[in-house]
Amino acid sequence: MKFLFLYILPPSNVCYTKYNSGIASLSAVLKQKGHQTELFLVDKFDREKLNISIEKFQPDIIGYSFVSQQKELAHEIIGYIANSHKIPSIIGGVHATVAPEECLSIEGVLGVCVGEAELALTNFLDAYTEEHDFYKTPNFYFKQNGKIVRNPLFPLIQDLDALPFPDRKLFCYNPAEAMLGLEFFFSRGCPYQCSYCINWHLQKLYKGKGPYVRFRSPESVIKEIQETVALYNYQGMLTFHDDVFTLKESWLRQFAILYHNNVGLPYRCNSTAGKIDEEVAQYLKDSHCQEVWFGIETGFEELRSTVLNKRTLDEDIFRAGRILNEFGISPCSFNMLGIPGESEDNINRLIEINIKAGVKKVDVGIIQPYPGTAIYEQGKKNDTLIEHNAPSATMKGIKNLNISDSLLYKYFYLFNHYIFGGKFFHLLDFLLKFTFFQWVKRKAQLLPPKVKNYILLHFLRGY
């Protein structure tokens, strides 16, 4: 069977790469079962390109994946293909998992896959190909005779080593030119329940379906890295996207030895400040880790704990920063502005924490309460969600904050400058005191890509 993956890319301001590990894993599993797969990347509605892609590959089924921000664009594309090409469509991914019935209501959608899809998708295609009763496929939602069929979930896949390595060849990209280089996932699941993260929803969804956090063996991980590096003849930095790469110390110890002996390329990973100590830092240093990213998120411990449900103390952050710097590893932080209860004092405290922790890089964003997160559900209950519409995406934020919109955006645009300084910091700080300049900067985000490439607008956008 010919299966076309149609991946609607996240908005450019949150999408650092066109590689999707979930689609790559599904493609590998389908090819292992004898199916043919192809990928089409979409960032806007383009009737001509859609037609060419479909007519060239002639798929039997189209599988869509998109994030919550792109659901309007997804509706438009799926509806057009359903009417013009009459090809069955299914939807999977994070938004499908948190809003399956909403996705099922889209014109032309045959079914919606919830949660892990490797077993579910292969079972569905087997039943569909052999004209069996595919309406009973686990993990899938269907409409049958006007009623919604909600099937139970498969247990979580425990032996991740049994899965084939992701199908990298499906994606045409040059890792040497990509922001994050070659990217990898070695585990699934996170033990924490931060209010802004989807894990809160997934842990409830999969309760009783097996251990939620699972790691591949270090031997399997090293083999995949070796094969992927050889595929691209790549010698740059690698990015490991696991939620908490340092979660299992015994796993990390084995990985460090194997990686040092067999790969040795520099890499970056994610952790949490509370999972960094001298022993962990030594394993990271021995395996040539150069950057460790962890969440500071907000300035005051009380907000971090109560609003974000993130049990990270300031002393954890300072200790992690100190230890990593002592071992020659760059501590890097994730930061979030605009959370419920946000104030200028909180943001200034957040800046101070970053400076005191000695971070070398920062990532900052305005909070986006995604469907399926606890903070989204709380926002709906309290009527504190606000929508920001762009041409192809809908963003959500929090209203009724203890800080003005203009001041919030000033800190967002100048966050790096407040921590690391910069040649034009004082000029930019002065200009951004005026609402007009912030209005221009925000409007620049909505302009066509060709226009946004002008030097003046790069300056206005803070690049």
Side-chain angles (χ1 to χ4, degrees), residues 272-274 295-296 301 304-305 310-317:
T272 184
I296 299 177
E301 284 183 357
R304 197 180 302 136
S305 174
K310 188 175 181 68
R311 313 296 179 179
T312 301
L313 303 177
D314 291 350
E315 62 187 60
D316 296 329
I317 296 166

Side-chain angles (χ1 to χ4, degrees), residues 132-147:
H132 291 166
D133 186 3
F134 59 81
Y135 287 104
K136 296 179 180 179
T137 306
N139 287 57
F140 267 86
Y141 279 43
F142 298 102
K143 270 188 179 178
Q144 186 180 28
N145 300 323
K147 296 182 179 180

Side-chain angles (χ1 to χ4, degrees), residues 41-312:
L41 302 177
V42 180
D43 60 0
K44 61 183 178 181
F45 180 72
D46 188 320
R47 184 179 288 102
E48 183 179 354
K49 288 185 178 179
L50 288 169
N51 291 338
I52 291 172
S53 177
I54 291 171
E55 289 166 8
K56 180 181 178 181
F57 185 58
Q58 295 289 313
D60 299 299
I61 290 185
I62 300 177
Y64 294 87
S65 179
F66 56 89
V67 297
S68 301
Q69 295 148 312
Q70 299 291 54
K71 62 183 181 181
E72 285 82 9
L73 178 59
H75 277 243
E76 186 176 16
I77 292 171
I78 296 170
Y80 169 74
I81 291 178
N83 287 319
S84 301
H85 296 276
K86 312 299 181 185
I87 301 172
S89 297
I90 60 174
I91 301 176
V94 176
H95 186 72
T97 296
V98 301
E101 295 186 21
E102 174 193 294
C103 291
L104 194 60
S105 69
I106 300 174
E107 180 187 5
V109 172
L110 174 63
V112 176
C113 186
V114 173
E116 286 188 342
E118 284 88 355
L119 292 176
L121 184 56
T122 52
N123 273 259
F124 166 76
L125 290 181
D126 286 346
Y128 187 85
T129 303
E130 297 170 10
E131 299 183 352
H132 291 166
D133 186 3
F134 59 81
Y135 287 104
K136 296 179 180 179
T137 306
N139 287 57
F140 267 86
Y141 279 43
F142 298 102
K143 270 188 179 178
Q144 186 180 28
N145 300 323
K147 296 182 179 180
I148 296 178
V149 178
R150 303 173 182 86
N151 289 302
L153 300 179
F154 275 116
L156 287 164
I157 300 171
Q158 296 301 316
D159 183 10
L160 299 181
D161 286 4
L163 295 173
F165 294 154
D167 179 14
R168 303 272 177 171
K169 294 180 181 179
L170 189 70
F171 294 81
C172 297
Y173 75 104
N174 182 357
E177 298 175 356
M179 179 184 293
L180 300 179
L182 278 178
E183 304 169 62
F184 297 87
F185 267 100
F186 305 136
S187 64
R188 294 187 181 184
C190 175
Y192 306 114
Q193 293 186 337
C194 301
S195 66
Y196 52 88
C197 181
I198 194 64
N199 276 297
W200 172 79
H201 178 88
L202 295 179
Q203 287 181 29
K204 292 194 301 179
L205 184 70
Y206 275 105
K207 187 175 182 180
K209 297 292 184 178
Y212 182 63
V213 180
R214 296 143 290 151
F215 274 77
R216 288 166 51 192
S217 69
E219 292 80 8
S220 171
V221 163
I222 296 302
K223 186 177 179 183
E224 183 194 346
I225 295 173
Q226 288 177 311
E227 289 187 8
T228 309
V229 167
L231 175 65
Y232 292 99
N233 190 27
Y234 181 75
Q235 293 298 309
M237 182 176 280
L238 310 181
T239 298
F240 302 156
H241 284 299
D242 307 273
D243 290 321
V244 190
F245 185 73
T246 62
L247 185 65
K248 296 175 64 175
E249 209 167 297
S250 59
W251 183 95
L252 183 62
R253 180 174 61 250
Q254 290 179 272
F255 167 85
I257 296 170
L258 292 172
Y259 189 88
H260 175 82
N261 293 335
N262 296 282
V263 182
L265 292 176
Y267 71 89
R268 60 174 66 87
C269 66
N270 301 321
S271 182
T272 184
K275 287 293 181 179
I276 300 295
D277 57 26
E278 283 82 358
E279 191 170 4
V280 165
Q282 187 65 60
Y283 297 146
L284 294 170
K285 180 179 180 180
D286 291 344
S287 55
H288 306 282
C289 178
Q290 289 193 355
E291 297 176 7
V292 173
W293 289 79
F294 53 84
I296 299 177
E297 310 304 3
T298 198
F300 288 113
E301 284 183 357
E302 182 180 357
L303 287 177
R304 197 180 302 136
S305 174
T306 58
V307 175
L308 301 183
N309 197 32
K310 188 175 181 68
R311 313 296 179 179
T312 301

